[in-house]
Amino acid sequence: MIQRVQSIFLLLVAASMIGMLFFPIWNKLDGEKSELVELSAFKFIHTKKDIDTSEIAVISEGQTFYIAALAILAAGIAIYSISRYDNRLMQMKLGALNSLFMGGAMGLIVYHVYQAERLIAPTQQGNYLFAFYLGVSALLFNLLSNRFIRRDEKLVRSADRMR
């Protein structure tokens, strides 16, 4: 039932969460020291470019695959929820669960950004990039899909009362 508006919103949730895997989430550049800190869904990397030799040295690196795992899980739940169009109560429960997973991913992102802000140039702010806003938009799309699922359920219940 792709023609239902909540199914379109759920597809947008899945597309946003999958897109989050392929773009950087956050970065911060210190021009004076030629250092860069970057966060993506799979890794966190702190590099420094040597001005004389133009070589890039990795200062620290960490794995953040759990952000990617939560994003993939949220996309999978959204796609599964589309196939459960005949059971609106189950769709509402899946939507609430999906909100928890997406909120967890966004919480982990904010935690890592907070930790990375202290590494270089504490007075400067880092830049939230495209993938961060994809996560925020996925939360919004999930909220809208849950609202339309709830509206359909109320419509069906009111029609049952009239019979």
Side-chain angles (χ1 to χ4, degrees):
M1 294 290 288
I2 299 297
Q3 67 265 24
R4 294 171 57 208
V5 75
Q6 58 264 34
S7 298
I8 293 170
F9 283 129
L10 287 170
L11 271 176
L12 289 172
V13 167
S16 296
M17 294 310 285
I18 295 296
M20 195 171 149
L21 301 174
F22 298 106
F23 296 103
I25 297 170
W26 178 86
N27 72 5
K28 185 175 183 179
L29 178 66
D30 184 5
E32 295 175 8
K33 296 181 184 177
S34 299
E35 291 185 41
L36 174 70
V37 177
E38 188 173 42
L39 175 68
S40 69
F42 293 102
K43 67 180 176 179
F44 162 82
I45 190 163
H46 180 192
T47 58
K48 182 173 183 171
K49 184 177 181 180
D50 188 9
I51 298 171
D52 299 330
T53 61
S54 296
E55 291 181 11
I56 297 175
V58 175
I59 296 173
S60 65
E61 189 173 12
Q63 300 295 323
T64 57
F65 61 88
Y66 35 86
I67 295 172
L70 285 174
I72 291 169
L73 204 56
I77 289 173
I79 290 170
Y80 177 70
S81 182
I82 292 170
S83 69
R84 300 296 304 193
Y85 64 89
D86 56 336
N87 190 348
R88 285 173 299 282
L89 293 176
M90 176 64 81
Q91 272 189 321
M92 285 191 278
K93 290 176 187 175
L94 289 171
L97 180 67
N98 211 5
S99 292
L100 285 175
F101 285 136
M102 289 187 289
M106 295 305 289
L108 285 170
I109 288 169
V110 169
Y111 171 75
H112 280 291
V113 166
Y114 178 73
Q115 294 297 320
E117 282 282 349
R118 299 182 295 166
L119 288 176
I120 61 172
T123 58
Q124 292 179 335
Q125 290 289 320
N127 302 315
Y128 288 100
L129 301 174
F130 185 63
F132 178 79
Y133 296 110
L134 282 175
V136 172
S137 66
L139 280 168
L140 179 68
F141 292 143
N142 195 52
L143 175 82
L144 290 171
S145 70
N146 287 342
R147 176 171 281 186
F148 282 106
I149 292 167
R150 198 173 313 114
R151 190 179 75 179
D152 278 0
E153 182 63 23
K154 283 182 183 179
L155 180 67
V156 168
R157 286 182 189 253
S158 70
D160 285 344
R161 258 184 273 148
M162 294 174 73
R163 286 188 217 176

